[in-house]
Amino acid sequence: MSSQHHLVWNGELTTRLRLIRRGMYLAAPGMLWILLFLALPSVLLIVVSMTTRGDYGQIEWVFSLDNFTRLMGYSSYGWSADYLWILFRSVWVAFWTTLVCVLLAYPLCFHIANRAPEKRYFWLTLIIIPFWTNLVIRAYAWLLVLAPQLPLAKFAAVLGIIPDGSPLYPSAFAVYLGMVATFLPFVAMPLYANVEKLDWALVEAAKDLYAGPARIFWHAIWPQTVPGLSVGITLTFIPAMGMFVVPDLLGGAKYMLVGNLIQQQFGTSRDWPFGAAVSLALMVLTLVGLHIHRTKGGEGGVA
Amino acid sequence: MRRFHWLVPFLAVGSLAFLYVPLLAIAVYSVNASRFGLTWQGFTMKWYQRLFANEQILEAAWNTLFLAGVSTIIATVLGTVLAIGLKRYPWSRRVYAMLDINLHLPVVTPEIVFAAALAVAFGLLRLVFSVFEPGMLNMVIGHVTFQVSFVALVVGARLASISTDIEEAARDLYADNAYIMRHVMLPLLKPGIVGGAMLAFTLSLDDFVISFFTAGPTSVTLPLYIYATVRRGVTPEIHALSTLALCATVILVMLSERITRKTNKE
């Protein structure tokens, strides 16, 4: 048996078996913790998604795929697209949030990287502070800004978009504002790491070859920022799909996302089996998103 | 300095204004004398005074710090030894891949799915063990689960930058396992451990979703309290509380920058 052979590992004469055993003692507690409180509960979620809700909101161990057909819109009243629409809307909102954040993050990062080195730290801190500010506070802050007494809502009322004296929330607009404000630092921070180290010689070379601004960006700048951009997009798109606080406070029942639907099932509706089914749907969307991201990133030369 | 099109600084400063205008609005309203509504009625500090007389808020503040403190200690210990065990021992490639996936699970799982899974798991555990009633124990368990993985990833990154030659040198000088761990590995890993612990602590302070799904009536944290209150409408005390939280965030960010710079120099 090879594990009985002696070997030298970082200067120690030992056997493979002994090393693995010691590694296991170190890694096991943390690994088991994640296994026990995340991996197993996730499996449980799959099981529960196939059970039935009892009359008092308890789980009845009667197995069927009813929760999934319900999610697809079928019920005893016929077909409705409500749930599918919520799923689609979550992906849609996440997509536009990510896109707008990326579009805003580039000028932001270029501007910061263009400051004198000793001043960059200050500008960077300006991004880090919102990043660490509590999400509930940030979402609520938008409620204040969009309140009827303030200029934004007054202006909208003058334009006739909303009746005079009413706030700009709950609305899709408010959700988008909150989402972009939430995730902008998540894109800007990883992107900045690349922008700061940008090799400007490539830009000069592109200029010498008479490239216009669009082609300079596309051929000389964008490829250099792909690694940071890729991290930023993952950090934004996936949490944005499952976002719950922002649509809850700023969108209300008017603009429900999948996160709100899940919360509703575990809260007021007390329908855990259906909530589990919706959670699984979100998990599948996440995995699809990660997969697309990975294959696309692969084309650009990034794993 | 390079010269960019005027749109670049314009959009950059605009984006930052977009991030800060709402926060400034909260700070301004926290010193507004008006009890209801948002019209300006003069400067006052009374909401801050009320804040410190409000027992629910003080209890929520204590719960938040207790939860973050306890879960960070557990997660930092587990995460650090996990990183060492995973990175420094000769796992076969397949086992390593499996362990690595398990380690990344908390990072890739959407928060709300993780919260739902925890709620279901605790709901079923409750049928057998009554300690799993919604409350602090469940919250600590939930927080440690995502913190462990972040600590292990930060410490693991630091570990990758430490050459195994140092361990080998210690071994050649007849240091045993315990001595190497205590006097070689841990001091070298200190910046990673401190960084990981700070990240874990902040993640716990900021967490809303996991707490929302696991909290009980006596374990309300500040984010939960703020959420429950603002759903009922505008309250000046919340503006004061949020402004204080914001100041704490600013101080924490600056402190952590200092600490990371210092430990990196060491």
Side-chain angles (χ1 to χ4, degrees):
Chain A
M1 262 171 68
S2 65
S3 58
Q4 291 305 317
H5 285 299
H6 282 72
L7 71 133
V8 176
W9 183 257
N10 296 339
E12 181 190 8
L13 182 64
T14 179
T15 65
R16 201 181 149 81
L17 192 69
R18 268 155 69 186
L19 280 171
I20 291 292
R21 195 183 294 153
R22 206 191 306 148
M24 209 172 70
Y25 286 142
L26 292 170
M31 283 295 174
L32 283 178
W33 191 293
I34 297 174
L35 197 70
L36 213 58
F37 296 114
L38 180 53
L40 285 182
S42 303
V43 175
L44 205 61
L45 208 58
I46 299 175
V47 176
V48 169
S49 73
M50 290 183 278
T51 61
T52 315
R53 177 190 190 274
D55 290 336
Y56 307 104
Q58 79 278 31
I59 297 169
E60 298 246 7
W61 300 95
V62 181
F63 292 96
S64 72
L65 290 174
D66 287 355
N67 291 312
F68 294 98
T69 49
R70 185 177 158 202
L71 188 61
M72 290 299 123
Y74 297 99
S75 70
S76 43
Y77 308 111
W79 188 78
S80 104
D82 287 358
Y83 295 133
L84 287 177
W85 185 235
I86 290 176
L87 284 178
F88 171 75
R89 188 191 284 149
S90 307
V91 178
W92 184 250
V93 170
F95 171 78
W96 285 106
T97 302
T98 311
L99 187 67
V100 174
C101 286
V102 168
L103 291 180
L104 290 178
Y106 270 101
L108 189 56
C109 292
F110 274 97
H111 184 70
I112 295 175
N114 206 24
R115 302 298 93 193
E118 65 277 7
K119 282 190 186 148
R120 279 180 213 161
Y121 164 70
F122 165 76
W123 285 84
L124 207 56
T125 312
L126 285 183
I127 307 182
I128 298 174
I129 287 169
F131 181 86
W132 284 121
T133 302
N134 194 280
L135 184 58
V136 180
I137 296 177
R138 291 220 279 151
Y140 172 64
W142 278 104
L143 282 189
L144 287 185
V145 175
L146 301 175
Q149 295 91 337
L150 292 191
L152 266 179
K154 288 223 163 113
F155 182 64
V158 168
L159 292 181
I161 300 169
I162 51 165
D164 197 27
S166 61
L168 275 165
Y169 60 85
S171 65
F173 173 69
V175 172
Y176 275 105
L177 279 184
M179 292 290 261
V180 171
T182 302
F183 288 108
L184 181 54
F186 285 73
V187 183
M189 278 168 56
L191 185 63
Y192 177 76
N194 283 145
V195 170
E196 196 187 18
K197 291 187 196 123
L198 208 67
D199 181 2
W200 286 93
L202 288 173
V203 178
E204 302 299 331
K207 267 188 195 156
D208 291 347
L209 296 168
Y210 300 105
R215 298 186 74 181
I216 289 177
F217 180 81
W218 190 244
H219 293 290
I221 294 175
W222 185 77
Q224 296 193 62
T225 56
V226 165
L229 187 65
S230 160
V231 173
I233 289 176
T234 330
L235 284 180
T236 300
F237 188 74
I238 288 166
M241 272 197 304
M243 175 53 83
F244 154 65
V245 179
V246 172
D248 187 64
L249 288 176
L250 297 168
K254 274 193 188 166
Y255 211 73
M256 223 171 140
L257 300 186
V258 65
N260 307 80
L261 183 62
I262 295 172
Q263 191 271 326
Q264 205 181 55
Q265 302 312 313
F266 283 91
T268 45
S269 301
R270 262 197 89 76
D271 191 344
W272 290 17
F274 187 57
V278 182
S279 304
L280 288 183
L282 175 58
M283 194 67 216
V284 169
L285 287 178
T286 304
L287 291 177
V288 171
L290 277 174
H291 182 74
I292 293 175
H293 178 77
R294 216 180 246 183
T295 45
K296 281 224 162 168
E299 279 165 25
V302 188
Chain B
M1 278 220 273
R2 278 155 216 289
R3 293 190 64 86
F4 292 129
H5 193 275
W6 62 269
L7 258 174
V8 171
F10 177 79
L11 283 173
V13 175
S15 301
L16 285 174
F18 174 68
L19 291 178
Y20 279 91
V21 162
L23 302 179
L24 279 177
I26 284 201
V28 170
Y29 281 119
S30 74
V31 291
N32 181 8
S34 164
R35 177 84 185 97
F36 302 102
L38 294 169
T39 41
W40 181 257
Q41 299 199 338
F43 179 86
T44 178
M45 286 301 276
K46 71 177 167 193
W47 310 123
Y48 286 91
Q49 289 161 3
R50 292 244 180 117
L51 203 62
F52 289 100
N54 186 330
E55 288 199 1
Q56 274 180 310
I57 290 180
L58 295 180
E59 198 197 312
W62 164 246
N63 282 339
T64 312
L65 289 176
F66 179 81
L67 170 63
V70 171
S71 53
T72 300
I73 292 169
I74 300 174
T76 305
V77 174
L78 292 183
T80 303
V81 292
L82 167 57
I84 298 174
L86 187 63
K87 301 274 177 187
R88 282 297 206 247
Y89 291 89
W91 300 100
S92 73
R93 190 175 290 197
R94 269 172 75 189
V95 176
Y96 181 86
M98 268 161 54
L99 293 176
D100 202 47
I101 288 174
N102 191 46
L103 179 62
H104 279 84
L105 270 186
V107 184
V108 295
T109 309
E111 247 186 330
I112 192 127
V113 175
F114 173 30
L118 268 182
V120 168
F122 286 135
L124 294 179
L125 274 174
R126 222 171 7 251
L127 301 175
V128 192
F129 309 102
S130 58
V131 284
F132 290 108
E133 279 300 313
M136 196 49 95
L137 176 68
N138 294 8
M139 294 170 95
V140 170
I141 289 175
H143 280 218
V144 170
T145 311
F146 64 79
Q147 287 171 316
V148 157
S149 143
F150 282 98
V151 172
L153 291 174
V154 173
V155 174
R158 174 81 195 176
L159 208 53
S161 71
I162 299 171
S163 162
T164 49
D165 293 351
I166 299 169
E167 227 171 302
E168 203 169 326
R171 197 78 70 180
D172 289 347
L173 296 167
Y174 298 103
D176 61 12
N177 289 329
Y179 190 92
I180 288 178
M181 188 63 129
R182 172 78 188 76
H183 295 280
V184 180
M185 290 308 275
L186 288 183
L188 283 171
L189 282 177
K190 201 177 126 202
I193 297 171
V194 171
M198 284 194 311
L199 180 63
F201 190 77
T202 334
L203 285 173
S204 171
L205 286 184
D206 264 349
D207 172 74
F208 172 77
V209 176
I210 308 296
S211 302
F212 190 66
F213 275 69
T214 48
T218 57
S219 61
V220 172
T221 59
L222 283 177
L224 295 179
Y225 180 83
I226 295 175
Y227 174 79
T229 318
V230 300
R231 286 217 59 169
R232 276 184 260 126
V234 173
T235 51
E237 280 103 334
I238 292 300
H239 300 158
L241 181 59
S242 303
T243 309
L244 285 185
L246 198 61
C247 293
T249 309
V250 173
I251 294 169
L252 272 178
V253 166
M254 294 192 161
L255 261 176
S256 78
E257 291 288 324
R258 280 266 166 84
I259 294 174
T260 17
R261 272 198 209 165
K262 220 178 128 193
T263 38
N264 280 343
K265 262 182 210 161
E266 275 174 16

